[in-house]
Structure formats: structure tokens, C-alpha cells
Amino acid sequence: MNTEILLPTEQAFRLAKTYIEAGEAVAFHTETVYGLGADARSDSAVRHIFELKGRPSDNPLIVHVHRDYDISTLIDGEPAYAAPLRRAFLPGPLTMVYPSAGKVSRFVSCGLDTLAIRVPASSAAQGFLRAVNAPIAAPSANLSKHVSPVTAKHVYEDFGGKIPLIIDGGACDGGIESTVLDCTGEIPVILRAGLISREQIAAVAGDCGVYRAKAGEKPKSPGMMYKHYAPRCRTAYFHREELQTAIALYHEEERAGGAPCILCEHALLGALQGCRALDLGDTDREMAQRLYVLLRRAETDATLLIGIAPTLRGGAMTGVLNRFQRAFGGTDEA
Ligand code: TXA
Ligand code: MG
């Protein structure tokens, strides 16, 4: 199959609609990461997404709709704090999990009685969703466990020849995935940290919890279980205090004829003279924006990627650290 990469024009949106109506998957730009979308009402289209990604069948998908879509048709009631949260953050990088009305394919939520809904802000995503005017199930447009895509080229690397169309809205500003928020209980609870922080949500809803699976319990957001966001080169992970060990490992790899590379926050670059270092930046937003770009770059030209965990906290850093640790195969401490 030929994979077309088209700019987000009305013509591209019309073409996307014909593919979606034919049960195909179409990749599209959002402000977080690129999505791989299909008609959420169609069992076969939704199953096609799982097959394309090699995604475990117990990891549910987010349904995407345009800003004027009536989501009350998809959900079965909502708590009082939901509407103020939508007004504050949508369209934007917040996914809200509601009781499901069962109006989309049962494969979307993998047997859960809830439905995750997202209204992306990017104009490319809005144009596509408006043209289709249907709920679109869309995971990130990467092969399962690989680094999420933040350019059309990244999507092409994973799905070139396997999908008909990528809507190219340029590089994603956000750079990590949306915050997933459980809105089925008394207070909202973060299931996956993202660009919208717990503090921002609590400021609107009055309170906001953070979900942590208890030992032996099936996690509420099953995707958080797996090793994820992983580059395809060897990796090693260090804390800031282990800098000298990291540098020693770098030189050892170099002596062995390899091409090592260090991923770290900007403030550390001065201490890494003579080493090849990838600069994550200074702020939470910068680090979110650069993380996947640099992980994808490292896997193409490094034999060993050495990550030194950023020390910055607050804002989007919970989400950034979570992705950073999991990219290096670490456990989720965030
Ligand atoms: O920013 C994003 O959210 C991107 C763009 C494309 O919109 N999408 C994305 O989708 O990251 P995906 O499939 O890579 O991650 C979806 C996450 C998973 O952790 C999944 O377990 C969780 O959302 N999820 C989906 N439906 C859920 C539900 N009903 N209850 C709990 N968690 C759910
Ligand atoms: Mg994903």
C-alpha cells in the first residue's frame, strides 16, 4: 500500500473521511503526539488498529471527537466536576474517562464499562475530526512499545506501506501524551500523567487524586503496565548523583568501538565535555517537547543511549519523568 503524507487541507480531510468510512486507519497530527485513527463504531476498524500496532488486547483506546461533538451521546452520565474541567482544558491535552453508554465498538474499551474521550486542540486534528464527524478511536501512531511519534516522519517509520494516509501538521508542540483522568468517581483521579498537571486539575475541580495500582490489582489504565516508549538501541539509566558512573560507561562503550550518547537536562552539559550529549532543555515544556524527538534520534545513530534523569519537578515533569524512566526500562516512580 502507498502511504500518502498530506498537509492538513480540506482536500486531505475529505480523503481521510473516505478512508475512515472504508474501515481504514488514518494517522493524524495532534498537539500531543500523532494518533492512528479508525471509526470507533466499527469492530473491524478498531481491531485493525490493534493488529497494526501489535497492541495487547487489554489496553483500551481513547475516542477522539471534534469540539462541537455532543459527547452526551457516548457517555452514561457524569459527575458535577466534569463540565468545569472541560470548559477549562478542552480542546486540549486532557483525556477524560466517563461511564460508557456502550455506543462504540466493545473493542475500544477492552471490556471496561468506561470510555476515554479526548478533544484535541490541534487544527489538523479538529479539521480531520470535523470532516469525519464520528468518534475516532486513536492510540498513539507508533508500533506497540516503541517511542510515540511527534512528526509525520516518525509515523512513516512505523507504518509506511501499511496505512493509506498521514495528515502532516508538523512537529507536535506538546511532545508527550495527554493526561488521562478518571471522571467516574467522587473526585477526578489521574491514571496517566501528561501535559495538564494535577495542580491545574485540582485548581478547577477542588481536588485531584493520582491512581496507583495496589499489588495484585488489575490496573485501571492497563497501558501503564507495559514497558513503553523504548528506543531501539541499548539503554542505561542513571540518577543525577551517578554522573561519574554514567561518564565511565560512556568511555567504556567508546573504547569498545561503539557510538554512545547521553540524554540529560541542559544544566548537565557543562559537566559532559568531550561526550556526545542530547540536550533535553531547561523547562518542563521543553523537556516534554524534545524527549521523543531525541529518543527517536538516538536509536538511529547511537549504539548505547545513557539517560540521566532530569531533576526538575512540577508542571509536566511528572509525565516527562514517567516516560523517561519507562523508555529506559525503569519502573514507574512518578
Ligand atoms: O495524547 C494522547 O492521548 C494520544 C493522542 C493520539 O491523542 N493518544 C494516546 O493513546 O496516547 P494511547 O492509546 O497511546 O494511550 C491511551 C491510554 C492508555 O494508557 C490506556 O490504558 C488509557 O489511555 N485508556 C484508554 N481508555 C481507557 C479507559 N476506558 N479507562 C482507563 N484508561 C483508559
Ligand atoms: Mg501510546
Side-chain angles (χ1 to χ4, degrees):
M1 178 185 285
N2 179 43
T3 301
E4 268 193 286
I5 303 182
L6 296 178
L7 294 174
T9 61
E10 288 304 325
Q11 199 185 346
F13 299 148
R14 275 196 299 276
L15 184 61
K17 178 177 159 75
T18 63
Y19 286 132
I20 293 291
E21 286 172 353
E24 296 276 4
V26 168
F28 60 102
H29 174 273
T30 86
E31 72 279 21
T32 57
V33 302
Y34 276 75
L36 183 65
D39 189 337
R41 301 163 304 184
S42 158
D43 286 350
S44 59
V46 173
R47 289 171 69 169
H48 184 46
I49 297 267
F50 280 88
E51 281 158 23
L52 279 168
K53 281 186 60 102
R55 183 175 177 105
S57 60
D58 62 351
N59 189 6
L61 305 180
I62 297 171
V63 161
H64 296 62
V65 293
H66 65 74
R67 61 188 306 160
D68 299 319
Y69 196 90
D70 181 6
I71 64 158
S72 69
T73 59
L74 299 175
I75 66 179
D76 183 17
E78 63 175 20
Y81 56 77
L85 285 172
R86 278 198 299 274
R87 278 196 297 277
F89 299 113
L90 301 190
L94 177 69
T95 295
M96 297 168 68
V97 175
Y98 301 93
S100 176
K103 293 289 160 44
V104 297
S105 163
R106 65 200 161 95
F107 295 110
V108 170
S109 291
C110 304
L112 300 173
D113 55 6
T114 54
L115 183 65
I117 302 182
R118 167 154 145 70
V119 186
S122 113
S123 59
Q126 281 293 318
F128 163 64
L129 293 167
R130 200 174 286 279
V132 177
N133 197 29
I136 295 295
S140 49
N142 53 279
L143 291 169
S144 187
K145 302 187 174 59
H146 195 204
V147 182
S148 300
V150 290
T151 65
K153 182 167 167 281
H154 292 162
V155 179
Y156 192 86
E157 283 163 8
D158 284 12
F159 294 112
K162 300 205 177 90
I163 58 173
L165 175 63
I166 302 170
I167 299 175
D168 182 0
C172 303
D173 279 350
I176 62 167
E177 297 85 348
S178 63
T179 303
V180 178
L181 189 68
D182 182 2
C183 297
T184 62
E186 238 153 69
I187 62 163
V189 175
I190 292 181
L191 303 179
R192 176 179 73 181
L195 291 168
I196 307 265
S197 68
R198 178 189 186 179
E199 294 73 30
Q200 285 175 288
I201 293 165
V204 174
D207 199 356
C208 177
V210 177
Y211 181 75
R212 280 194 184 80
K214 295 176 196 81
E217 191 185 30
K218 195 170 187 273
K220 268 205 158 179
S221 200
M224 298 310 286
M225 257 165 59
Y226 307 104
K227 177 177 175 181
H228 232 114
Y229 319 112
R232 290 184 172 139
C233 50
R234 281 156 49 238
T235 58
Y237 174 89
F238 294 98
H239 293 285
R240 172 71 184 77
E241 307 75 58
E242 302 167 307
L243 182 63
Q244 293 315 319
T245 319
I247 294 175
L249 179 64
Y250 180 98
H251 291 301
E252 193 181 304
E253 176 74 4
E254 219 173 25
R255 278 195 300 277
C261 155
I262 298 181
L263 178 64
C264 63
E265 60 196 341
H266 184 78
L268 270 190
L269 295 186
L272 294 172
Q273 300 295 333
C275 297
R276 177 174 175 229
L278 300 175
D279 180 3
L280 260 181
D282 283 315
T283 64
D284 62 329
R285 288 285 161 163
E286 242 167 31
M287 294 197 214
Q289 211 172 56
R290 292 185 194 177
L291 179 61
Y292 292 158
V293 177
L294 297 178
L295 290 172
R296 287 255 185 176
R297 186 178 303 164
E299 73 179 6
T300 66
D301 61 9
T303 54
L304 172 66
L305 178 66
I306 300 170
I308 302 176
T311 50
L312 187 71
R313 296 292 180 270
M317 284 312 290
T318 308
V320 170
L321 283 168
N322 161 280
R323 307 309 192 280
F324 191 98
Q325 283 155 355
R326 286 146 54 83
F328 287 89
T331 51
D332 183 3
E333 296 166 23

